[in-house]
Amino acid sequence: MVSAAAQAGVVAACVVLFVPMGLAGWHLSRNKVLFFSGALFVSLAVGVHLSPYLPSLPHLLLAASFHPHPISSSSSSSATSSSCVPLLHRVSWADAGGESGVGRAWAWPPSLASTCGLARLSRDDASLLLNGSWVMVAGDSQARLLVLALLRLLLDPAAAAAAEPELFRRHSDYRATVPARGISVDFVWAPFESNLTRLLHEDLRLAPRTPDVLVLGSGLWHMLHVTDAARYGDALASVVDAAKSLRSPLPVPPPHMFWLGLPLLVNHMLNTDAKKVHMNDTILQAYDLEVEQRGLLQRDGGPFLLLDVGKLSRGCGQQCTADGMHYDGDVYDAILHIMLNALVIESQQRI
């Protein structure tokens, strides 16, 4: 449905465009260069005034132009897409093998990949999907590792390696661009939920543009320094309220929002005594329960689609972590491709 603001803008544009042109047409009929120069000027002016009211072109073309593996035609595409979202995390893990004999590899079961059109995206596919988009990832070190996975997919290996030192500068923000595709990637260091609420409620809500893709995640720092699941849940409720303010009825598409879940914590591998005391299985389960119960997730009417790091890190296993908290790149690569396939599904549903 076209919004009332957009309809009013179109009417105003027609008045601004055609009335002056009609009045001037007779006087300028003997000078066609001047006539069409004036028409071009007025058209550009109308375009500038209408642009805030219309969705960006990439959002209109995204699902129509990108189909890495078409969804099976045996059922309705919209119904199939909706039913596929809960299945995105059903990946299987196996030893990678190869010359080194180490590492783990993930994949969707072939039948699921075929039915839902799920695919591991190539660099060209991912660049096409995110063409012209602004991707923002905000949170702690887990969020930073997701950004690394995204850069490794979008950039060539040398450029991705060159970006790592700046990305991993301690407790700092980071920005990268892919100029050929007009893609911007922002990492915002926001380890506490209050940081995320401030980002949403103050920085983004008042900005002239919001990100096209917004990934948030926190909890590890709260678990270590506060260790109170109920207070964590209260902080999540504030994040939800702030996120919903970005999804109010606007004449432009709202951001695609994702929540980065907490990883499996392997207590005996944690590298400080404080972490071993405050980040045990019981506390982790209590924090995960708050995520489930605070209306954060789309399945409960919330704004965020869960990227279940816990499920994927458990699937990869203890051999995929060196410190009991941060996992090998394959885990974040799986998270990234789940997110990208979810974007394809969500974009199809928005058309």
Side-chain angles (χ1 to χ4, degrees):
M1 295 289 291
V2 179
S3 69
Q7 292 174 351
V10 171
V11 172
C14 292
V15 173
V16 172
L17 178 60
F18 294 114
V19 172
M21 287 179 61
L23 292 174
W26 184 82
H27 296 285
L28 296 178
S29 60
R30 294 185 179 182
N31 189 333
K32 294 183 178 179
V33 173
L34 181 59
F35 176 78
F36 286 109
S37 297
L40 178 61
F41 174 80
V42 174
S43 299
L44 290 174
V46 170
V48 168
H49 284 85
L50 276 182
S51 59
Y53 301 98
L54 299 176
S56 61
L57 186 59
H59 287 288
L60 294 175
L61 299 180
L62 178 62
S65 63
F66 181 78
H67 299 284
H69 287 288
I71 292 174
S72 171
S73 59
S74 61
S75 59
S76 166
S77 61
S78 60
T80 303
S81 296
S82 299
S83 64
C84 287
V85 171
L87 307 178
L88 285 168
H89 289 83
R90 290 192 180 180
V91 304
S92 58
W93 292 89
D95 292 334
E99 295 181 1
S100 64
V102 297
R104 298 276 280 168
W106 67 273
W108 282 292
S111 60
L112 177 60
S114 175
T115 300
C116 292
L118 307 180
R120 297 183 69 149
L121 275 62
S122 67
R123 179 172 295 115
D124 288 342
D125 287 338
S127 297
L128 175 61
L129 176 65
L130 298 175
N131 184 43
S133 295
W134 176 19
V135 180
M136 176 177 285
V137 183
D140 52 24
S141 54
Q142 299 291 317
R144 198 190 302 269
L145 288 167
L146 178 61
V147 172
L148 177 61
L150 178 58
L151 295 181
R152 285 175 171 171
L153 181 60
L154 293 177
L155 304 177
D156 63 72
E164 284 194 43
E166 186 70 16
L167 172 62
F168 283 88
R169 210 164 42 131
R170 185 174 176 81
H171 299 173
S172 62
D173 299 344
Y174 174 80
R175 164 166 286 191
T177 60
V178 184
R181 287 293 188 176
I183 301 170
S184 297
V185 179
D186 275 309
F187 169 71
V188 179
W189 173 248
F192 287 104
E193 300 67 44
S194 58
N195 303 136
L196 299 176
T197 300
R198 187 178 304 111
L199 172 70
L200 293 167
H201 193 66
E202 298 179 10
D203 299 338
L204 293 181
R205 190 172 65 86
L206 302 177
R209 179 190 174 190
T210 56
D212 302 292
V213 180
L214 182 61
V215 185
L216 306 181
S218 66
L220 293 176
W221 277 55
H222 194 286
M223 192 183 302
L224 176 61
H225 297 288
V226 181
T227 324
D228 188 324
R231 289 176 62 184
Y232 175 64
D234 292 341
L236 289 180
S238 297
V239 173
V240 171
D241 290 341
K244 287 181 176 178
S245 71
L246 293 181
R247 298 175 64 91
S248 58
L250 295 172
V252 294
H256 298 270
M257 295 189 189
F258 298 89
W259 184 261
L260 200 59
L262 295 169
L264 170 69
L265 299 174
V266 186
N267 189 264
H268 71 271
M269 298 179 70
L270 299 176
N271 54 20
T272 69
D273 290 338
K275 289 178 181 178
K276 291 177 180 179
V277 170
H278 296 286
M279 307 178 82
N280 57 53
D281 288 343
T282 300
I283 296 173
L284 175 61
Q285 290 173 11
Y287 272 63
D288 282 338
L289 189 60
E290 294 296 328
V291 173
E292 297 281 343
Q293 294 181 342
R294 292 291 182 152
L296 187 77
L297 306 180
Q298 286 183 9
R299 63 187 182 219
D300 303 315
F304 296 99
L305 183 64
L306 178 65
L307 299 175
D308 196 343
V309 185
K311 181 179 179 67
L312 294 167
S313 53
R314 285 191 296 273
C316 195
Q318 295 186 20
Q319 64 267 49
C320 295
T321 179
D323 64 1
M325 181 185 301
H326 304 99
Y327 283 77
D328 295 346
D330 291 323
V331 170
Y332 303 97
D333 179 68
I335 295 165
L336 173 64
H337 280 86
I338 287 170
M339 183 187 82
L340 295 177
N341 279 266
L343 284 175
V344 175
I345 293 172
E346 285 191 350
S347 298
Q348 290 170 341
Q349 293 172 340
R350 288 186 180 187
I351 290 181

